Amino acid sequence: MLTRTEGIVLQTREYIEADLIVTYLTPARGIIKSFAKSPRKTRSRFGSSLEPLTHAKISLWGREQSMPRITQSDIISSFHKLREDFQDFVNISKLSEILISLTPEGLPNSKLFSFFLNIITFLASVEQKQKDALYLVFQISLLALLGYAPHLKSCGKCGEESRDFYPEAGTALCKRCSSSRQRGNEPSIRISNRTAHFYSHGIGWPIKASTRLRPSRETVSELSALLEAHITNLLNKKLQTSEFLSKV
Ligand SMILES: [Zn+2]
């Protein structure tokens, strides 16, 4: 079966010397893993079109249920500036990793595709100094779009006001509901009013207006730590990108 679609390269991995496994985000089939034979020959054939973040028109060939082979790849946008900037590349790799980890393969999701394409297009056009806040906002929006946004507004069980977030529950919980969970000393994270306000504002905020959100340094670091704990809990492990960053 031949599939012609457009796709954004989320990840590439060399596989037992001869093959290159490319993970795409596509509108018609969501996340697809595909392969190209012999990366060295492939690189001359496909040029740089299999590099991460490349948005390309692609053709894939293969039986259903098996990993398809890339037969054609023509660049629409290379996003090479984002790829060549260390901070951008690491931050976008983090978004890609969240996306791959929390999305089942093969499910069509044109909304997710447009979202991802829109954010990388936008990031390629804005100033570097605004980006810390932007990456945070996009991480929140991505989690919300995937249905995994943490609930910070109030106690997720009874709706009572609460500023204590429990990563293992994925939500804020009031004293009464957290003590009824009977998990002993489950760690919680205190959410400041400012951070809670910024978070409820940032969810669903239009991408192109994101530079108008100006969180304080404290809010950025508080919310980053909270999201990190939330994601680690969702995946039962730390993101590779975060592990990598902690060593740099
Ligand atoms: Zn409660």
Side-chain angles (χ1 to χ4, degrees):
M1 192 176 77
L2 182 71
T3 309
R4 282 204 182 91
T5 181
E6 54 180 309
I8 301 165
V9 178
L10 294 181
Q11 225 172 46
T12 57
R13 294 263 184 277
E14 282 190 19
Y15 181 69
I16 327 181
E17 291 174 7
D19 295 348
L20 189 71
I21 309 266
V22 182
T23 306
Y24 283 107
L25 177 65
T26 68
R29 287 175 58 193
I31 290 187
I32 308 180
K33 281 203 170 80
S34 55
F35 74 98
K37 278 269 176 214
S38 12
R40 248 178 244 141
K41 280 188 215 154
T42 299
R43 287 220 166 97
S44 57
R45 177 162 167 219
F46 293 114
S48 60
S49 72
L50 305 182
E51 295 287 341
L53 299 185
T54 305
H55 176 210
K57 274 191 181 152
I58 52 172
S59 298
L60 306 173
W61 174 258
R63 285 195 209 124
E64 241 172 285
Q65 313 297 341
S66 64
M67 195 187 283
R69 179 177 178 155
I70 306 163
T71 55
Q72 205 178 339
S73 165
D74 299 308
I75 298 178
I76 300 171
S77 274
S78 71
F79 292 107
H80 68 276
K81 274 194 183 150
L82 290 177
R83 188 169 56 241
E84 282 155 16
D85 184 282
F86 178 76
Q87 285 300 335
D88 280 324
F89 188 62
V90 172
N91 279 306
I92 297 176
S93 299
K94 192 170 182 175
L95 294 173
S96 299
E97 199 185 345
I98 294 172
L99 185 55
I100 294 169
S101 311
L102 295 174
T103 319
E105 278 175 43
L107 280 189
N109 195 335
S110 56
K111 210 172 161 187
L112 195 56
F113 179 82
S114 322
F115 169 80
F116 203 79
L117 182 58
N118 285 341
I119 59 170
I120 55 177
T121 306
F122 184 66
L123 285 163
S125 72
V126 294
E127 277 179 62
Q128 211 64 24
K129 61 179 182 188
Q130 296 179 299
K131 285 186 177 172
D132 278 355
L134 287 179
Y135 279 113
L136 190 63
V137 173
F138 295 155
Q139 207 175 312
I140 296 168
S141 309
L142 178 63
L143 286 169
L145 197 60
L146 298 173
Y148 290 103
H151 181 91
L152 305 187
K153 217 175 182 178
S154 55
C155 171
K157 274 194 163 176
C158 72
E160 189 122 321
E161 197 170 303
S162 167
R163 285 281 180 263
D164 293 307
F165 177 72
Y166 288 80
E168 285 178 33
T171 176
L173 291 171
C174 69
K175 281 218 164 60
R176 189 160 38 92
C177 293
S178 68
S179 60
S180 72
R181 280 167 59 82
Q182 298 174 326
R183 291 208 181 179
N185 290 326
E186 201 179 323
S188 67
I189 299 171
R190 187 82 188 158
I191 316 156
S192 69
N193 286 338
R194 264 178 145 186
T195 298
H197 180 73
F198 171 76
Y199 180 78
S200 59
H201 238 69
I203 274 198
W205 192 269
I207 292 171
K208 283 186 179 153
S210 308
T211 48
R212 299 220 304 266
L213 290 164
R214 300 267 164 87
S216 66
R217 248 172 217 280
E218 291 76 31
T219 295
V220 173
S221 74
E222 204 180 306
L223 203 48
S224 304
L226 187 148
L227 290 177
E228 200 69 42
H230 177 61
I231 292 166
T232 303
N233 246 284
L234 280 175
L235 304 179
N236 254 321
K237 58 172 189 192
K238 260 182 126 53
L239 288 169
Q240 282 179 357
T241 340
S242 306
E243 293 252 36
F244 170 74
L245 273 181
S246 66
K247 287 175 197 153
V248 189

